[in-house]
Amino acid sequence: MAYQKSSYGDPTAQNTSHFANSGGAGVCMMSSTWRDEQHPSFINFISSFLGANSFRLNFVRIAPDLIFNCGGLSVSFIFVTNWNCNNIEPVFGRVKKLKEQFAHLYVVVSLPTRDQNDSFVRSYFKYDMDLGRPTFVPVQDIEMGLEKIVKIAHSRGACKQRDALSKMKAERKRSVQRMDIFLEVITSIPSIDNHDAYALNQAIGSIEAIAKASKEYILENTDLSADKAEAIVRFFRDPKFYLNPKIN
């Protein structure tokens, strides 16, 4: 089993408030194959750590070792808990394969000894890894590796949520601006007020659609009077009408 000795502390004492209070709830999918290669006590530690930080853990058959869904974003991880200096090629072969399949992939490698760290550095350049694609995260022990993984997943999810909120705010602003323009155009028609403009927007839609609507269609779908419907049709279709100065 790929097991590295470590003094597993109380997982509830490690950054619990940071993740829970910052909305770190999410789902962690763990590869059942990777799970079976780890020591049971480490899997129990992971389960307790994730539970303490508001993550739900599921065991499934997946290609990466771990996939976190946090804030609507999926982040995948290869978690090398035992760096074997004599059997490196399979690790980098797997990295090269999975980086083409998963957009957000990180490789966390536990390197507790100097020999392992030196081996990793030599191998990184030997196998022509592209810097940052994927991102490698060397750690001193597997506990630190798990903590880094959860922090990365949470940070990426939080960024995703902020981006979504920013897009919603921008779209809301554009919507308000479009409505302001709509009101300005429609209320420039003699006798048409804001109430009429909103009624036209709800029943018919855009300025273009209103410009194409017949008097009968406007009367049939809104509460506007015949005089107002006539004014709208003339405004968009009669040059003598819409080119003359208007006083509301």
Side-chain angles (χ1 to χ4, degrees), residues 71 157-173:
C159 289
K160 175 75 172 180
Q161 286 182 321
R162 282 197 295 270
D163 289 345
L165 288 173
S166 297
K167 290 178 180 178
M168 287 175 62
K169 288 179 181 177
E171 179 57 35
R172 193 179 301 118
K173 183 178 180 180

Side-chain angles (χ1 to χ4, degrees), residues 37 49 71 110 129 141 153 195 197 231-232:
E37 294 172 351
F49 186 91
S110 177
M129 291 289 103
D141 55 57
H195 170 79
I232 292 168

